[in-house]
Amino acid sequence: MVRPVVSPGSEASTRPRPPLRLVKTQDLDRDQWLQVRKGGIGSSDAAAAVGLNPYQSQLELWMEKTGRAPPAPPRDESEDDLSPMYWGSLLEPIVAAHYSRRTGNRVRRINAVLQHPDYPWMRANIDREVMGAADVQLLECKTAGIQGAWLWRDGVPEYVQLQVQHQLAVTGKRAADVAVLLGGQELQVFRVERDEELIAQLIVLEREFWGFVEHDQQPPADGSESADRALRALYPRDAGTTLDLRQDLVMGAVFSDLVAVREVLATHTALEAQLKQSIQQRMGDASRAVFNGGEVSFKRSKDGSTLDTTRLAKEQPEIVRAYTVPKPGSRRFLVQI
């Protein structure tokens, strides 16, 4: 059960104190900025810190905060334009300007990393501050490409809501607008009101995550691709040793569950193949079959071409040697019973 961070009748619950200005951002270079980020949980980290970011796990965020993440490649303007973050930064002023034009609200940059007055690890970098509006104080600017626009069809995605609630917690403000540019041509504006109960839960869960960072203890893996990347980065090679876990009751139960789940998956995979083949057999050379509940297609892909590497190695071995590059191995997880 989540414990409230402040008692309902306390002064802090009714009159949040203003945030501290930790550091100005105008003169920070990239390395300094990354160092500041490592020192606390920023608003963009909030969802990952509580295990609700679809793109980053707690384990991968923990690697960043403890300095274990692989160093980011240096910025290259010729390659950055393939990154959503590049376009988000480039279009942020445009999104802010069109937000002001649509709503009439004036906005300005804060140019500082803000810190919660009570929780030093809780930090925020605000896109814009809304000036002179009684009903909203912060602006978060977002961009979503064609492939990511569906995330916004029901409003602000959960991980963005957590980011904004984190900002409201740090600043003590009452509401924020989220302006998102969808597909480069449609601007939508959503209002996010301060939620005291959610903020209390957020603080408890973020503090729990920051405990993992402070004690240099890994948070549990969550089964995501992000956690898989983190584990492969943490342990890229095996040492050739054997770990005896026969007396470890917890891991023994985990192994038993893994075996049972794999048996269920194998059964369902075989059943899926049989059902699919039954439909393929009935379709024959038809391209499409229609059912009351949906449809399937069974079409031949376009002819392609492939390189005959065996023949090339035999007839032109010097070319193969000249263009062969080493490929690092990866660890494989195999189960034997």
Side-chain angles (χ1 to χ4, degrees), residues 107-119:
V107 298
R108 70 175 181 183
R109 294 178 180 272
I110 294 181
N111 293 323
V113 176
L114 305 180
Q115 179 177 293
H116 195 289
D118 299 317
Y119 310 109

Side-chain angles (χ1 to χ4, degrees), residues 58-66 68 207-221 234-235:
Q58 286 185 314
L59 187 57
E60 199 167 35
L61 179 63
W62 174 85
M63 288 183 63
E64 289 183 5
K65 300 303 179 183
T66 58
R68 288 176 168 85
R207 179 164 46 193
E208 181 179 318
F209 170 79
W210 195 246
F212 287 120
V213 176
E214 290 182 322
H215 295 97
D216 202 32
Q217 176 186 351
Q218 294 183 21
L234 283 168
Y235 310 111

Side-chain angles (χ1 to χ4, degrees), residues 16-282:
R17 290 192 293 158
L20 307 176
R21 288 180 175 256
L22 182 65
V23 61
K24 294 181 179 180
T25 57
Q26 298 101 314
D27 301 325
L28 289 182
D29 60 28
R30 183 167 179 268
D31 291 337
Q32 291 171 326
W33 169 245
L34 293 175
Q35 195 63 33
V36 171
R37 278 184 54 86
K38 284 174 59 177
I41 300 175
S43 54
S44 60
D45 301 324
V50 302
L52 292 174
N53 189 321
Y55 307 108
Q56 186 179 43
S57 64
Q58 286 185 314
L59 187 57
E60 199 167 35
L61 179 63
W62 174 85
M63 288 183 63
E64 289 183 5
K65 300 303 179 183
T66 58
R68 288 176 168 85
R75 287 187 177 179
D76 185 340
E77 293 298 328
S78 65
E79 296 179 359
D80 267 1
D81 60 3
L82 299 178
S83 167
M85 293 182 63
Y86 168 84
W87 288 107
S89 298
L90 185 68
L91 295 173
E92 179 184 308
I94 298 175
V95 173
H98 280 267
Y99 164 82
S100 293
R101 180 179 178 182
R102 173 176 297 185
T103 64
N105 291 336
R106 295 183 297 110
V107 298
R108 70 175 181 183
R109 294 178 180 272
I110 294 181
N111 293 323
V113 176
L114 305 180
Q115 179 177 293
H116 195 289
D118 299 317
Y119 310 109
W121 42 264
M122 198 172 192
R123 302 173 178 180
N125 187 41
I126 309 300
D127 285 345
R128 297 292 189 279
E129 182 180 18
V130 179
M131 305 298 298
D135 55 343
V136 64
Q137 298 82 41
L138 304 179
L139 172 65
E140 177 65 25
C141 300
K142 295 292 185 184
T143 57
I146 298 174
Q147 295 181 342
W150 69 272
L151 291 169
W152 297 81
R153 64 188 177 191
D154 296 323
V156 182
E158 182 181 45
Y159 72 97
V160 178
Q161 292 186 42
L162 293 174
Q163 176 183 357
V164 174
Q165 291 293 340
H166 178 106
Q167 293 172 349
L168 295 173
V170 170
T171 61
K173 302 300 184 182
R174 304 302 310 171
D177 277 343
V178 179
V180 57
L181 182 64
L182 301 174
Q185 61 184 25
E186 180 185 357
L187 184 73
Q188 293 189 11
V189 179
F190 302 93
R191 176 67 49 83
V192 177
E193 303 283 350
R194 184 184 180 94
D195 186 330
E196 297 292 356
E197 183 177 355
L198 178 56
I199 287 176
Q201 295 175 354
L202 193 60
I203 291 175
V204 170
L205 295 175
E206 287 188 13
R207 179 164 46 193
E208 181 179 318
F209 170 79
W210 195 246
F212 287 120
V213 176
E214 290 182 322
H215 295 97
D216 202 32
Q217 176 186 351
Q218 294 183 21
D222 58 10
S224 64
E225 291 184 11
S226 170
D228 183 71
R229 287 195 304 268
L231 289 172
R232 292 184 181 278
L234 283 168
Y235 310 111
R237 293 179 176 83
D238 59 289
T241 57
T242 299
L243 186 62
D244 190 345
L245 298 177
R246 284 175 289 190
Q247 303 304 316
D248 190 324
L249 298 181
V250 173
M251 283 294 101
V254 171
F255 179 76
S256 297
D257 289 344
L258 174 62
V259 172
V261 168
R262 287 195 164 205
E263 289 177 351
V264 171
L265 288 175
T267 300
H268 282 280
T269 299
L271 178 59
E272 180 199 23
Q274 181 183 357
L275 297 173
K276 181 178 71 174
Q277 291 168 8
S278 296
I279 295 176
Q280 290 173 331
Q281 191 171 25
R282 178 64 179 84

